[in-house]
Amino acid sequence: STLQRTTAPDVLRFEAELRNQAAHAVRAPDLELSFTDNQGRLLARRVLSAQALNAPTEGIPAEAHWAVRAELRVRDLPVTGFSAELFYP
């Protein structure tokens, strides 16, 4: 996964590729993004639902991938790092 600045000063672009290595389709997960500053302190968390990320309604097919992309407004937060966690609500 990557997090990049955009031309807008308060917007970051998150991209990730999720791979299904199973022999059957799986439901697309939600993602929790945690943004940190240059000292590793938590600045904010954001949950992105699979639906908000335009996940395939039939799930991620067997042995396939799903490219995730989202633009996130972070206002004036001094974001320098992040982590991304997958989960099923």
Side-chain angles (χ1 to χ4, degrees):
S1 59
T2 62
L3 188 66
Q4 301 174 336
R5 298 227 174 257
T6 65
T7 55
D10 63 339
V11 177
L12 300 174
R13 180 177 300 115
F14 172 76
E15 295 180 332
E17 181 175 280
L18 305 181
R19 294 186 188 125
N20 175 11
Q21 297 178 336
H24 54 82
V26 297
R27 185 168 52 111
D30 290 356
L31 285 106
E32 179 186 79
L33 298 177
S34 297
F35 302 104
T36 55
D37 66 10
N38 62 0
Q39 295 178 341
R41 291 182 297 216
L42 180 65
L43 298 171
R45 282 195 178 115
R46 173 108 185 248
V47 172
L48 304 172
S49 70
Q51 182 180 8
L53 293 168
N54 297 320
T57 55
E58 67 282 354
I60 305 170
E63 300 179 11
H65 72 274
W66 170 39
V68 175
R69 182 177 175 167
E71 293 198 351
L72 308 162
R73 187 169 309 280
V74 293
R75 295 177 277 152
D76 59 351
L77 292 174
V79 175
T80 58
F82 79 102
S83 66
E85 300 289 331
L86 306 176
F87 72 97
Y88 290 96

